[in-house]
Structures are given as structure tokens and as C-alpha cells.
Amino acid sequence: MKYVIFIIISCLLSSCKSSIIVPQRAVYQTEDFINVAISDFVSRCSLFKKDSVFEVTVKDTLVKLSFQSEQSRWVLDTIYSDILVVKFSGLTNKEWYYSDAVIGSKGKLASRYVIKNGKLFFWWDDNYPLTEETLAVFKEYDILTEVMERGWIPDSSIDDAKKGAHYYFCRKDAFRYKRVVTNITTGYYEPPKLKCK
């Protein structure tokens, strides 16, 4: 009987377990939050099946806006300094145009990535230089096209109906989070309630 209970508990725990291991820490790095969010997104979010390339965006501090109708503008409503947001968006325009992305440069092109189940997740990291390997992966996923004419920006369309996944984390606990799937950008809707310590 004890053996059966042990197997059931093990199965339950393994289904909740992250495929990316993030140790418990006193202070978490941004990459820890990204890894936890990717693990949940891959295993539990239906949006994972809809695209093959996902842009990851991090909002270090959540700022909520509200609309003032008498002035017809969005104004600052609330600052949530204890909340960090990790967002996933399926890439709509599959081509980026780059002209001055130099190996070793920082901030001109996304420089970090993870491949999970054959799908690419990428993000900008101003502290991490662009490498040959990263550039080769972006070319392999066919999201880069070199621009011959410096300063030319191609037309791109935005799909307002396309949904993304937003992960709201307690800044001090990478394992305390809630996911919201929506086509509204963060800051323009009420964030989920999190009990952060």
C-alpha cells in the first residue's frame, strides 16, 4: 500500500515538475523567471502549439495604466514594484532586418535563446553579447534577413487578435506566479492577484 501511495505522489509531482531546473535562491536572476515561464508554457499552455518561434519580453516592474475619458488619454494608475512579468508572443513577422548586428555587440539584436521541443524562444539581454552560434540559430529558424540599405525599415503588420501568454511573478519567488492568456498588452488590464511575501 505504501508503495502505491509513493508511486501516485511521484507521478503527481513529476507532472508539475519543471523540465528546466531552477534552484531555490534568496535572490533570483531574470533568467530564472524566464526558464520557469518557458517550462510552464511548453508543458501547459495551448499557445505553444500555434507557433514555432516565440519572442520573450521581460517587464522588470509592472505599470498599470487607466483611461481617463474626459481627457481621452491613458494615465499611470498603479506601479507594482514586487511583480515581474515574462511575456511570450508568437512571431508574426518571421523576418527581422539587421544591418549593424555585429558579433560581440550588445542590444542591437536579441542575443539569448532557448530551444524546447524544436521551438525557438529568444530575448534581448543587454549584458550578453551576440554570438556566431546565436546568429546561426536565428538564420536556421529563418527569422533574419540582411538589409543592404542602411536605415531602411520594412513594413510590418500587427495582428491585434493574436494572443500571448503573460506570466506574473513575485519578484522574490520564481515559483509563485500566475499565467494570463490574452491579446491585450500588459499594463492595460487588471493583473492577477498574487500573494507576494
Side-chain angles (χ1 to χ4, degrees):
M1 183 67 174
K2 288 180 185 177
Y3 184 71
V4 172
I5 292 172
F6 174 75
I7 290 175
I8 291 170
I9 291 172
S10 296
C11 289
L12 287 173
L13 290 175
S14 66
S15 67
C16 298
K17 204 171 189 181
S18 166
S19 61
I20 300 173
I21 298 170
V22 176
Q24 292 280 348
R25 303 178 190 197
V27 177
Y28 290 96
Q29 304 297 316
T30 302
E31 191 171 348
D32 296 328
F33 295 102
I34 292 171
N35 285 333
V36 169
I38 288 173
S39 182
D40 181 87
F41 185 77
V42 168
S43 62
R44 297 184 185 169
C45 187
S46 62
L47 293 182
F48 177 68
K49 297 173 184 170
K50 297 188 185 245
D51 289 292
S52 58
V53 179
F54 297 93
E55 181 176 3
V56 180
T57 309
V58 177
K59 285 194 171 203
D60 190 60
T61 301
L62 177 62
V63 175
K64 184 177 168 287
L65 303 171
S66 64
F67 193 71
Q68 286 189 340
S69 58
E70 66 274 0
Q71 297 173 353
S72 300
R73 64 189 179 108
W74 289 93
V75 296
L76 178 65
D77 182 326
T78 313
I79 296 174
Y80 298 88
S81 58
D82 58 341
I83 302 288
L84 180 134
V85 184
V86 176
K87 303 188 315 179
F88 297 114
S89 307
L91 206 58
T92 304
N93 185 4
K94 289 268 182 166
E95 293 182 342
W96 284 345
Y97 293 81
Y98 70 100
S99 59
D100 46 0
V102 179
I103 300 304
S105 66
K106 296 179 183 178
K108 295 188 186 244
L109 196 64
S111 58
R112 303 294 300 269
Y113 73 92
V114 169
I115 297 173
K116 290 303 253 176
N117 297 1
K119 299 190 179 188
L120 175 68
F121 294 83
F122 67 89
W123 64 95
W124 272 257
D125 185 338
D126 291 337
N127 298 316
Y128 195 83
L130 181 64
T131 64
E132 293 255 1
E133 176 189 335
T134 304
L135 204 54
V137 167
F138 292 164
K139 287 179 181 176
E140 178 186 330
Y141 277 81
D142 201 27
I143 59 172
L144 290 181
T145 302
E146 191 166 1
V147 172
M148 299 303 173
E149 205 179 318
R150 189 176 175 92
W152 178 72
I153 299 173
D155 294 331
S156 62
S157 59
I158 296 172
D159 183 357
D160 289 333
K162 190 171 177 91
K163 292 184 177 180
H166 304 168
Y167 285 83
Y168 292 83
F169 286 92
C170 289
R171 181 180 301 286
K172 294 181 180 175
D173 188 350
F175 298 97
R176 188 177 297 265
Y177 63 90
K178 289 191 178 176
R179 174 177 21 107
V180 174
V181 174
T182 181
N183 65 332
I184 302 169
T185 192
T186 54
Y188 290 89
Y189 64 89
E190 200 66 40
K193 301 259 188 257
L194 283 171
K195 293 181 182 175
C196 298
K197 297 174 185 174

